[in-house]
Amino acid sequence: QVRLVESGGGLVQPGGSLRLSCAASGSIVSYNTMGWYRQAPGKQRELVATITSGGVTNYADSVKGRFTISRGNAKNSVFLQLNSLKPEDTAVYYCNQKVPSGNWRGEVYEYWGQGTQVTVSS
């Protein structure tokens, strides 16, 4: 029932900015840990940023100071602001959500969006 839908990707020149959005249905963003991942051509998917239900954020070293993850509670969404973009930021960006199952085993369900393409090129 949980669905994540990313949007906001596109083509931008080096040094430019984009704002990615992830809209959630079937779950509450502010109740769970949200994350952004990316997968560049020929490379493995990597963690970009996360935000916990308590608002604690974490970033990959490669994007610190340039990217910002935030929640939009009124719209049940999470955002990723990408500034000072570099060609190496080119990738498909994926939204991720971890949802506790609530059972005694402490299992956590993980959900993914379909991805949105970010291309940084001159």
Side-chain angles (χ1 to χ4, degrees):
Q1 192 170 357
V2 175
R3 185 183 180 190
L4 306 175
V5 180
E6 302 97 331
S7 63
L11 175 64
V12 64
Q13 293 188 346
S17 299
L18 285 173
R19 184 174 175 84
L20 307 183
S21 299
C22 173
S25 61
S27 66
I28 305 299
V29 166
S30 62
Y31 289 177
N32 303 287
T33 297
M34 305 295 300
W36 285 96
Y37 292 72
R38 68 185 182 186
Q39 188 165 20
K43 296 186 177 180
Q44 193 172 8
R45 186 178 299 185
E46 64 175 349
L47 176 67
V48 176
T50 59
I51 183 168
T52 70
S53 60
V56 178
T57 59
N58 186 54
Y59 299 92
D61 289 340
S62 60
V63 306
K64 284 183 178 178
R66 300 190 297 120
F67 293 4
T68 303
I69 187 171
S70 61
R71 293 193 299 255
N73 294 336
K75 296 184 177 181
N76 195 33
S77 58
V78 63
F79 304 99
L80 185 68
Q81 180 68 41
L82 302 85
N83 296 327
S84 302
L85 283 163
K86 306 174 181 179
E88 50 264 44
D89 294 319
T90 295
V92 177
Y93 285 71
Y94 296 91
C95 184
N96 171 267
Q97 183 178 60
K98 291 181 170 62
V99 181
S101 67
N103 64 32
W104 63 273
R105 299 179 185 86
E107 295 176 337
V108 177
Y109 300 133
E110 194 165 2
Y111 301 94
W112 296 89
Q114 83 291 341
T116 185
Q117 177 71 49
V118 172
T119 302
V120 184
S121 177
S122 60

